[in-house]
Amino acid sequence: MKITVKVNGVAYTHEVEPRISLTHYLREILDLTGTHIGCDTSGCGACTVTMDGKAVKSCTILAVQADGSDITTIEGMANGNEMHPIQAAFKEHHGLQCGFCTPGMVMTAADILKNNPNPTEEEVRHGLEGNFCRCTGYHNIVKSIRHAAEQINS
Amino acid sequence: MIPSKFNYIKASSVSEAVNLLDEHGFDAKILSGGHSLIPAMKLRLNRPEVVIDIGGIPGLDVITEEGDAVVIGANCTHQQILNSQVIYKNVNILKQTAATIGDVQVRNKGTIGGSLAHADPSADYPATVLACDATIIVAGKNGSRNIAATDFFQGIFTTALEDDEIITAVRFPKIAHGNYHKFYQSASRFAVVGVAVVFDGSGVKVGITGVADTPYRATKVEEAYNGDSSAAEHAVDGVEVMSDHFADVEYRSHLAKVFVKKGLEA
Ligand SMILES: Cc1cc2nc3c(=O)[nH]c(=O)nc-3n(C[C@H](O)[C@H](O)[C@H](O)COP(=O)(O)OP(=O)(O)OC[C@H]3O[C@@H](n4cnc5c(N)ncnc54)[C@H](O)[C@@H]3O)c2cc1C
Ligand code: FES
Ligand code: FES
């Protein structure tokens, strides 16, 4: 089936098999490997991207369902060489160790801050319920997101 | 993980979806948010030959106030329900329920119609639609009909929907006083036990999910209720309580009583 999807501001048209996931489309067809696959069955959040501005788990969306939508992946967050404030905050506050969960964390954080520009620690933790990290213990991720909020608001 | 091959059809109207369902029968599956169906297809627990996507059907994603009721389109996402002012003001218990579902990504895609049709015994909405005496509005090849919540759930993953029927909306009466409490499965956030309580004059209506293979109205609690929480003792009277790796029969029965008590005291 033919789909047209806008990814990080660029419109792409491809013929795809209905059974491939949006993650698969991003990684294998568009070569955007920043979106990671952890569980591949909607549990871990590593594959999170935003679709029409909302955080979603791309492993649990068929590429054909994304037809006509506007997707942002981790590759679309920086402005040229300048990191997005959420990325910069993760770097500064050690919000990552191995980095596997980080793209998903950053994309979920974008959704959290869009709906709640000044979240409490508890609200950030609640917002991250669908994202697993096996390294950091979450503490510095939460710290990073709260610092990013301050940067964005200042 | 990749599902087995299927033919994908995007339906543009309810009648088209119903006709396709009628035509392809058992080989077809409706796709809404996909957050129950797609994982099951990837694990090949489900191998439909035809997938009918109702996700883009106009009008199925609106929430409207109609007199003393609120009508919620089947494709409304959990997040949409959580953010709706109409629901906040008129059926707050449903907002409370939606807030407990999964995580933000799941709530951004999963729908109320999909959740009810799927009828997972640990899903949250069933408790609330039962306690609210909501009505499930469905469309089939012979037109549309209303199904009372109390007639809708018939067993594990089993509902009163006929093979050619889809849910188009859910009608909730306005509810002034009610609450939803649950004991979470720690990873998925599904309900080990979920209890919806609606106060109705001097009486109470109690819906329970997660406890039996079919969500139920705790009629023994409702009959025993006389203003305090002692009726919670009857939460599992006459019920065959489920046992799994989250909770055995004894623990689950205990949780049901504790959460009914909590709801009655809230
Ligand atoms: C990680 C994770 C955590 C979750 N946690 C919770 C939780 O805490 N509580 C909870 O209640 N749920 C939870 N869910 C389930 C979630 O709410 C699903 O979104 C919901 O159960 C199904 O809705 P859907 O729109 O995604 O349906 P789909 O997956 O598209 O469909 C599910 C089933 O319903 C059928 N169907 C869909 N729409 C209709 C319709 N309108 N008419 C007739 N049949 C239809 C489909 O054919 C399919 O059989 C979780 C899911 C995930 C992935
Ligand atoms: S890879 Fe999508 S949620 Fe884990
Ligand atoms: S930094 Fe390693 S999984 Fe999160």
Side-chain angles (χ1 to χ4, degrees):
Chain A
M1 189 188 147
K2 190 179 263 181
I3 59 167
T4 298
V5 188
K6 200 169 183 189
V7 181
N8 302 331
V10 182
Y12 298 91
T13 299
H14 284 102
E15 190 68 40
V16 297
E17 236 194 301
R19 60 179 173 157
I20 70 163
S21 68
L22 176 58
T23 323
H24 189 109
Y25 177 70
L26 294 168
R27 290 179 56 88
E28 309 290 331
I29 299 179
L30 300 187
D31 237 356
L32 294 171
T33 54
T35 300
H36 291 169
I37 302 174
C39 64
D40 208 13
T41 47
S42 73
C44 75
C47 63
T48 302
V49 300
T50 65
M51 184 171 180
D52 299 325
K54 299 185 188 99
V56 294
K57 291 174 176 170
S58 62
C59 71
T60 307
I61 296 176
L62 302 171
V64 288
Q65 283 178 289
D67 185 27
S69 68
D70 188 348
I71 308 284
T72 304
T73 69
I74 189 70
E75 289 91 343
M77 293 300 276
N79 181 5
N81 284 332
E82 194 188 325
M83 281 191 276
H84 185 280
I86 300 174
Q87 293 173 304
F90 269 69
K91 182 174 177 217
E92 187 174 337
H93 299 281
H94 303 282
L96 63 153
Q97 287 179 21
C98 79
F100 192 84
C101 69
T102 314
M105 290 288 178
V106 171
M107 300 316 291
T108 305
D111 184 303
I112 296 173
L113 298 184
K114 188 174 155 214
N115 293 307
N116 182 356
N118 201 2
T120 62
E121 173 174 345
E122 199 184 330
E123 286 165 342
V124 173
R125 288 186 183 274
H126 190 62
L128 293 177
E129 271 168 355
N131 292 75
F132 295 172
C133 175
R134 301 304 301 265
C135 302
T136 65
Y138 302 95
H139 191 72
N140 286 351
I141 295 178
V142 176
K143 210 159 111 185
S144 303
I145 296 172
R146 296 198 66 207
H147 279 276
E150 278 173 24
Q151 286 302 312
I152 295 168
N153 295 335
S154 71
Chain B
M1 272 173 280
I2 298 179
S4 52
K5 279 197 172 175
F6 58 85
N7 205 342
Y8 172 87
I9 311 175
K10 197 163 171 73
S12 52
S13 67
V14 169
S15 57
E16 187 189 353
V18 165
N19 288 336
L20 285 165
L21 205 48
D22 190 37
E23 180 186 335
H24 296 284
F26 211 65
D27 298 330
K29 269 281 175 196
I30 294 287
L31 172 69
S32 178
H35 272 50
S36 292
L37 184 60
I38 295 174
M41 284 171 60
K42 284 187 164 186
L43 297 167
R44 306 217 174 180
L45 298 168
N46 225 312
R47 305 164 181 236
E49 284 171 19
V50 179
V51 168
I52 305 163
D53 186 355
I54 61 167
I57 297 180
L60 284 193
D61 61 348
V62 291
I63 298 169
T64 41
E65 208 176 329
E66 282 183 14
D68 55 5
V70 174
V71 179
I72 302 168
N75 285 349
C76 289
T77 62
H78 313 324
Q79 196 68 16
Q80 209 181 331
I81 289 171
L82 178 55
N83 292 338
S84 159
Q85 281 300 313
V86 172
I87 291 173
Y88 170 71
K89 288 196 193 116
N90 301 298
V91 203
N92 192 266
I93 183 174
L94 186 63
K95 175 194 159 105
Q96 294 173 36
T97 310
T100 72
I101 297 179
D103 49 61
V104 64
Q105 295 99 313
V106 170
R107 291 193 296 272
N108 278 336
K109 282 305 286 179
T111 67
I112 187 166
S115 176
L116 295 177
H118 192 56
D120 187 309
S122 304
D124 294 289
Y125 288 134
T128 304
V129 300
L130 282 168
C132 293
D133 270 326
T135 307
I136 322 295
I137 306 172
V138 310
K141 63 174 191 285
N142 298 323
S144 108
R145 67 181 178 120
N146 294 341
I147 308 175
T150 41
D151 296 329
F152 186 76
F153 302 102
Q154 300 195 335
I156 188 158
F157 302 116
T158 310
T159 68
L161 283 174
E162 298 291 344
D163 290 345
D164 63 314
E165 284 179 331
I166 68 167
I167 300 175
T168 55
V170 190
R171 176 189 293 269
F172 283 83
K174 290 182 178 172
I175 302 287
H177 302 294
N179 61 69
Y180 183 73
H181 289 99
K182 87 198 235 194
F183 188 78
Y184 291 85
Q185 289 180 10
S186 49
S188 74
R189 325 296 286 165
F190 269 98
V192 175
V193 167
V195 176
V197 172
V198 168
F199 296 97
D200 186 13
S202 60
V204 73
K205 296 190 279 188
V206 181
I208 301 186
T209 190
V211 171
D213 65 4
T214 312
Y216 62 97
R217 275 282 287 273
T219 46
K220 298 289 185 238
V221 173
E222 298 176 5
E223 285 160 17
Y225 180 70
N226 56 11
D228 63 31
S229 62
S230 58
E233 267 314 297
H234 302 287
V236 297
D237 286 7
V239 172
E240 199 175 318
V241 177
M242 282 198 292
S243 173
D244 59 21
H245 56 287
F246 295 108
D248 63 13
V249 172
E250 190 188 348
Y251 182 44
R252 210 178 222 104
S253 305
H254 172 72
L255 286 173
K257 292 174 195 172
V258 169
F259 278 77
V260 170
K261 185 164 185 284
K262 216 177 171 136
L264 293 177
E265 286 173 356

